[in-house]
Amino acid sequence: MSGSTWLWDGGGSGVYRSNPAICAGLPEAGADGWPDGRDAVFVWGAAPLPACWRNAANRDDAGGSRAAAGFAAEAPNPPGGERPAALWILNAGAASAASLPETEWRRRLRRCGMAAPERPPADVRRYRVAVFHLEAVHIRRLLGGFTSRTMTPGSGWTPDVDAGRGIRLQGGGNAAKSPLLRRLGAAAVSAVYALGLDAASVDLDMDDNDRIFVRQFRLPGAEGRPDGEFDLETDVILDALRKFADDYRSACSSGAVSGSGGGVLLGADPEFVLLKADGRIASAARLGGLGSPVGSDVVLSRRRLVHPVAELRPEPADNPQRLAANVRRLLGQAAALMGEAPLRMLAGAMPVPGLALGGHLHLSGVWLSSRLLRALDSYVALPLAMAEDPRGRARRPRYGMLGDFRMQPHGGFEYRTLPSWLVSPVAAKAAFAFALLAAEDMWTLRFFPSLDEPFAEAYYAGNVPALRGCLDGLEREIRSAPSYSRYAVWIDPFLRALRQGGSWDETVDIRDKWRLRKPAGPLAAEGAER
C-alpha cells in the first residue's frame, strides 16, 4: 500500500528479514506485497539493491547511469499508467559511499565547504552525531577528545551531551536550546547529504576556536555486535526509522508529502547590491530594515553592524507570474527610494568580488523530504548554474552548497542554494517554475544529475560546458512531467537560452532588465524582458 516503509537488509527472499531488532515496528515482509509506488524503502547498511528496482529510465543515450542506483526506481509491479509513481529509496547511495576511499570522501566534503582534513586535529572535543533523513536525532560526547579550555554551562556547553548515552534530539526541541547542538547537528546533516546518504552517524571534532571538522562517518548496521544487539547510534536510527514509517504513512494518507495538483506556495528573499560610480558598495540601509518588504541584511564587520546587501521580501504566490509581479513591485519601490543617487543595482551570484548574493526560495504546502531537496538541486540549482556569469563561480563553496535548506518557524522551509536570480526576469520566472515543478512532480521525476559525481563536480567547479552535459536528460524529464504544461511558458524561454549558450551578465543594472527605468507599458507591467 502506498505510504508503507520497508527496510532492505540485503536478504534474497524478502524486503527485510530475520532480525527482530530491525523489523520491530515495521510491516512484516510480504504483509502488503512488494513495495508499491510512493512506498519508502530504507537501505540498511551497504547491501546492493535488488536488480528489479533498477530503472532503465535512469540511463542516458550513452547507457551511463545518471542517478544513484535505485534512487527513483519503479516498483517491481508498478501500477498502470505511462509514468507510475516511483519508489523512494532512502540511503540508496550507501553502497557507493561505503566504497569511497577516505581521501575521496574527504575531498567531496571539502568541495562543499566543509572541513575534512586528511589529518584531523589532535587537541579537540569529539562528538558522534546520528543523522536520519535531514535531521540530527542524537548527539553524544566521545571519550578520547579533550580540550585545554574549561567548559561550563554558562559558555553554551550542554552537560547532557557529555553523558554516556548523549542526548536525543526530538523535533528540534533540544537542539533549539543550544547553539552547540545546532552547529554540530547542522554539520552532520550537511556531511551525510553531501555523501548521497539519508542516514549515518558522523564523528565530529571541535577545536578550541570552535571550528568543526569531520573525522569519520559510519553507515547504520555496519557495526552490529555478534550478540544481535547494536551500538547506540544504530538503535537511535532504528527508532527514527520506525517513527518515520508512522509519520510517512500518515502524511501519504493526508496528501502532505507532495504538492501535486497545486497547493504549493512559493516565497522568496532575493538579494542585490547597490554600487557607487567608483565601484564601492553603498549601504542598503536607506532602503529599510530587517522587517520591511524592501530592506537590507545586517552583517558584522570590524565590530560594526553594516548593511551591504539589499533584500526583497515579496508576498508569496502559487504562480511564477504572480510572484515575479510581486518582486518587480518591490524592485520599483527600491528604485524610488534610491532617488537620483548615481547608484547601480546589481544581482547574480557575485557581482562584486567577495560579496556573495543569494536568491532563496521559500516553499510551503509541501513536506520537506530528501527526495524533494535533491529534485530542487537537479531541476533548479543545476539549470541556473548553467546560465551563471563565470565570475559567480567564486560564490562556491562557501555559499551555494547543494541541499542547503533551513526550516521556517511559520511552516515550510527555505531552499538556500541559489544565487540571486534577480539578475534577469527570465531567470527568476524559470527558477520559480522549476521549483514548483520539482515539488509537484517529485514522484515521477527519475533523473537526478545532482547525485551523479561528474555533474556534482562540474557544479562546484563552475565547469558550465561539463554541467550542460545533463541538459538533454533534464529537458526530457521536464517535458514529460505532469505539471510541465502549466509552467512551459516560463520554462521554455530559459531552456532556449541555455541551448543557445546564453549566460547572464552580472554587470548590468537590473532596473534595465526589469524595465524599471522606462515609461510604463504592457511589457513593463509584466516585466517579461530578459
Side-chain angles (χ1 to χ4, degrees):
M1 179 181 296
S2 181
S4 294
T5 301
W6 306 82
L7 191 148
W8 172 254
D9 70 347
S13 59
V15 177
Y16 60 84
R17 47 182 286 196
S18 72
N19 196 315
I22 296 179
C23 300
L26 295 173
E28 292 188 6
D32 290 323
W34 282 95
D36 206 345
R38 294 198 187 181
D39 280 1
V41 179
F42 180 72
V43 178
W44 180 255
L49 288 165
C52 59
W53 289 347
R54 298 194 185 114
N55 179 11
N58 278 338
R59 296 185 175 274
D60 64 7
D61 295 337
S65 175
R66 292 306 191 194
F71 175 77
E74 289 184 6
N77 298 305
E82 293 184 1
R83 290 180 67 82
L87 282 174
W88 179 12
I89 314 295
L90 291 98
N91 240 30
S96 174
S99 67
L100 290 176
E102 183 175 351
T103 54
E104 175 59 15
W105 67 255
R106 289 187 181 279
R107 186 192 70 83
R108 293 188 186 185
L109 294 185
R110 291 195 298 271
R111 174 180 74 188
C112 299
M114 286 175 273
E118 299 295 334
R119 294 183 179 180
D123 187 7
V124 293
R125 307 182 297 280
R126 192 163 299 155
Y127 303 89
R128 181 164 293 164
V129 186
V131 172
F132 186 88
H133 190 238
L134 304 178
E135 185 177 7
V137 293
H138 186 270
I139 298 179
R140 64 170 166 147
R141 174 85 174 269
L142 297 179
L143 298 177
F146 65 92
T147 179
S148 59
R149 188 174 66 184
T150 301
M151 300 300 296
T152 64
S155 66
W157 171 247
T158 303
D160 292 337
V161 178
D162 207 22
R165 295 188 64 82
I167 183 169
R168 294 193 179 222
L169 310 175
Q170 299 175 348
N174 287 322
K177 298 176 183 177
S178 165
L180 171 67
L181 296 187
R182 286 198 300 271
R183 290 190 63 215
L184 291 170
V189 169
S190 294
V192 169
Y193 186 89
L195 292 173
L197 299 170
D198 288 295
S201 60
V202 183
D203 289 357
L204 300 173
D205 292 338
M206 179 178 281
D207 67 12
D208 276 355
N209 294 315
D210 291 339
R211 293 176 299 186
I212 295 176
F213 305 87
V214 179
R215 175 172 287 270
Q216 188 57 269
F217 76 95
R218 302 183 309 155
L219 293 169
E223 297 186 17
R225 295 199 293 269
D227 59 5
E229 297 181 5
F230 298 96
D231 64 8
L232 176 60
E233 279 65 38
T234 294
D235 287 339
V236 169
I237 288 177
L238 280 172
D239 286 346
L241 174 60
R242 296 183 190 109
K243 182 179 184 302
F244 172 88
D246 292 339
D247 293 345
Y248 182 63
R249 187 154 190 164
S250 298
C252 282
S253 299
S254 67
V257 297
S258 174
S260 57
V264 180
L265 203 60
L266 194 64
D269 57 350
E271 296 174 333
F272 62 96
V273 64
L274 305 178
L275 206 63
K276 299 178 182 179
D278 60 6
R280 291 184 300 156
I281 297 171
S283 172
R286 71 185 69 201
L287 302 181
L290 292 174
S292 61
V294 179
S296 56
D297 227 349
V298 179
V299 299
L300 183 64
S301 176
R302 297 179 181 178
R303 299 185 180 181
R304 290 192 309 114
L305 291 176
V306 295
H307 303 252
V309 175
E311 185 175 272
L312 304 181
R313 303 168 187 114
E315 285 292 320
D318 60 357
N319 171 283
Q321 186 66 40
R322 283 191 282 272
L323 183 55
N326 295 343
V327 167
R328 186 177 184 279
R329 190 175 303 113
L330 295 185
L331 276 175
Q333 292 180 23
L337 288 169
M338 289 167 56
E340 298 300 321
L343 301 174
R344 286 191 294 157
M345 298 171 64
L346 303 182
M350 190 173 280
V352 178
L355 185 63
L357 301 181
H360 307 156
L361 296 179
H362 301 246
L363 290 90
S364 58
V366 62
W367 180 57
L368 174 61
S369 65
S370 59
R371 186 186 186 98
L372 172 55
L373 205 53
R374 297 194 191 281
L376 292 171
D377 287 343
S378 292
Y379 289 87
V380 191
L382 265 57
L384 286 191
M386 295 178 203
E388 195 174 70
D389 188 311
R391 74 197 74 202
R393 161 65 185 89
R395 181 172 177 262
R396 299 185 289 275
R398 184 174 181 183
Y399 301 98
M401 179 191 296
L402 293 173
D404 189 5
F405 75 96
R406 183 163 61 192
M407 301 305 297
Q408 294 295 308
H410 51 71
F413 69 97
E414 180 182 15
Y415 181 60
R416 300 171 54 83
T417 300
L418 307 179
S420 179
W421 30 258
L422 284 176
V423 71
S424 157
V426 166
K429 293 175 188 178
F432 304 159
F434 285 142
L436 289 168
L437 182 143
E440 294 178 19
D441 297 331
M442 73 179 98
W443 298 106
T444 55
L445 298 172
R446 294 182 173 85
F447 179 56
F448 292 83
S450 65
L451 283 168
D452 193 337
E453 173 53 25
F455 295 134
E457 179 68 25
Y459 170 79
Y460 282 107
N463 186 344
V464 172
L467 189 58
R468 287 185 176 179
C470 70
L471 183 56
D472 286 346
L474 284 175
E475 189 168 352
R476 186 166 55 243
E477 283 292 289
I478 288 168
R479 295 189 187 281
S480 300
S483 68
Y484 166 70
S485 60
R486 289 202 300 277
Y487 302 120
V489 66
W490 304 293
I491 287 175
D492 287 351
F494 189 81
L495 291 179
R496 281 197 301 270
L498 290 184
R499 289 293 183 191
Q500 296 166 5
S503 63
W504 65 58
D505 183 351
E506 298 186 353
T507 66
V508 175
D509 194 310
I510 59 177
R511 287 174 293 183
D512 296 332
K513 290 290 187 178
W514 289 83
R515 293 206 167 207
L516 293 171
R517 295 202 288 195
K518 297 182 181 296
L523 287 179
E526 288 199 26
E529 294 299 306
R530 292 185 190 176

